[in-house]
């Protein structure tokens, strides 16, 4: 079973969708699963220094203080229902996520899922700047990555073009995340629920995997 996941590391619904999918996989256990993570940059115009989070979100959404707080509260409750923590009071910066996606790309295959979760936790629970190379190096070091080499790789723009990969996803018709493609055929758009993912997995298991496009 091949599952392609398109996400951004500052997207709370992506974290919720990841939890729902992995909970579904824990119940399903019909066959081995290969997960591939793909970047989908929600806003690549954010500078390396980031923006003040709440001001940025109010401007991006076109809403006021009260409406933004309502949005945060409802999203936080959805996270709690899924079993993940989203502490928007801790988040201080809207950040550029290119480096965090590069870290996922560089992570060992058997630790990528863990690195993704560690990045989500760093941002949504600890309020850390996941656009900061020092933060990302510390995360990678915790998952079998040599810090000096990792720092060099994160600074090397020739290794992987995160922006181009994100643009490629958009060119294929993906307009929002999270977005999941199972066996290159069955699509799940949004964070959905464990039950929806179980249904999608069962449908995909009945089909032959189509030619790879990612």
């Amino acid at each position: 079973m091949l599952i392609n996941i398109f996400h951004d590391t500052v997207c709370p619904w992506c974290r919720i969708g990841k939890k729902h999918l992995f909970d579904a996989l824990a119940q399903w256990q019909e066959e081995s699963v290969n997960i591939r993570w793909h970047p989908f940059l929600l806003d690549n115009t954010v500078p390396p220094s980031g923006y003040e989070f709440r001001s940025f979100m109010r401007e991006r959404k076109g809403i006021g203080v009260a409406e933004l707080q309502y949005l945060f509260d409802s999203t936080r409750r959805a996270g709690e229902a899924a079993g993940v923590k989203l502490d928007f009071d801790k988040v201080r910066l809207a950040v550029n996520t290119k480096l965090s996606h590069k870290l996922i790309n560089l992570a060992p295959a058997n630790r990528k899922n863990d690195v993704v979760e560690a990045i989500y936790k760093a941002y949504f629970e600890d309020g850390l700047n996941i656009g900061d190379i020092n933060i990302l190096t510390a995360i990678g070091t915790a998952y079998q990555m040599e810090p000096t080499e990792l720092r060099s790789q994160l600074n090397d723009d020739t290794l992987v073009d995160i922006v181009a990969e994100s643009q490629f996803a958009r060119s294929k018709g993906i307009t929002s995340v999270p977005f999941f493609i199972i066996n290159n055929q069955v699509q799940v758009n949004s964070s959905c629920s464990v039950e929806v993912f179980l249904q999608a997995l069962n449908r995909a298991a009945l089909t032959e995997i189509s030619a790879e496009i990612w």
Side-chain angles (χ1 to χ4, degrees):
M1 178 76 69
L2 172 64
I3 304 178
N4 287 286
I5 303 176
F6 300 82
H7 73 124
D8 204 359
T9 51
V10 293
C11 167
W13 294 103
C14 292
R15 190 179 195 196
I16 293 171
K18 173 185 177 294
K19 182 63 162 57
H20 284 155
L21 170 63
F22 278 66
D23 284 351
L25 288 171
Q27 294 183 37
W28 190 62
Q29 295 183 336
E30 295 294 328
E31 60 182 274
S32 61
V33 176
N34 178 24
I35 293 177
R36 296 179 183 172
W37 295 93
H38 302 275
F40 190 94
L41 304 179
L42 292 173
D43 193 338
N44 190 40
T45 67
V46 178
S49 58
Y51 290 126
E52 196 281 322
F53 180 60
R54 289 180 178 257
S55 298
F56 173 81
M57 290 299 295
R58 288 199 300 272
E59 182 176 349
R60 181 181 176 87
K61 299 289 186 182
I63 57 179
V65 174
E67 292 87 353
L68 182 66
Q69 189 59 52
Y70 176 82
L71 178 64
F72 286 159
D73 289 343
S74 59
T75 307
R76 174 182 52 77
R77 288 193 295 269
E80 289 176 351
V84 297
K85 185 176 182 180
L86 302 167
D87 190 346
F88 295 104
D89 290 335
K90 289 277 189 70
V91 179
R92 301 300 181 188
L93 283 178
V95 303
N96 191 301
T97 60
K98 284 186 295 186
L99 280 182
S100 64
H101 285 291
K102 185 181 284 189
L103 175 61
I104 296 166
N105 181 276
L106 293 168
N110 66 333
R111 303 313 298 267
K112 284 188 189 293
N113 297 339
D114 297 326
V115 169
V116 170
E117 186 59 29
I119 293 171
Y120 281 140
K121 180 182 182 299
Y123 191 65
F124 288 112
E125 296 185 34
D126 303 326
L128 298 178
N129 179 2
I130 59 169
D132 186 296
I133 196 168
N134 295 314
I135 298 297
L136 295 172
T137 300
I139 292 173
T141 301
Y143 293 97
Q144 303 175 353
M145 305 178 76
E146 199 282 320
T148 302
E149 181 182 7
L150 175 58
R151 183 180 295 272
S152 175
Q153 291 173 323
L154 290 172
N155 275 315
D156 187 348
D157 291 333
T158 67
L159 285 179
V160 57
D161 193 336
I162 296 298
V163 175
E165 190 172 353
S166 179
Q167 291 171 340
F168 180 71
R170 283 184 164 86
S171 75
K172 292 298 181 179
I174 297 174
T175 59
S176 63
V177 288
F179 196 91
F180 308 82
I181 305 177
I182 307 174
N183 276 358
N184 290 330
Q185 296 192 56
V186 178
Q187 299 181 0
V188 178
N189 185 7
S190 84
S191 56
C192 294
S193 65
V194 174
E195 291 72 23
V196 167
F197 278 112
L198 283 170
Q199 293 169 8
L201 291 167
N202 286 326
R203 289 201 309 275
L206 297 176
T207 65
E208 292 291 334
I209 186 169
S210 64
E212 293 191 20
I213 58 174
W214 304 103

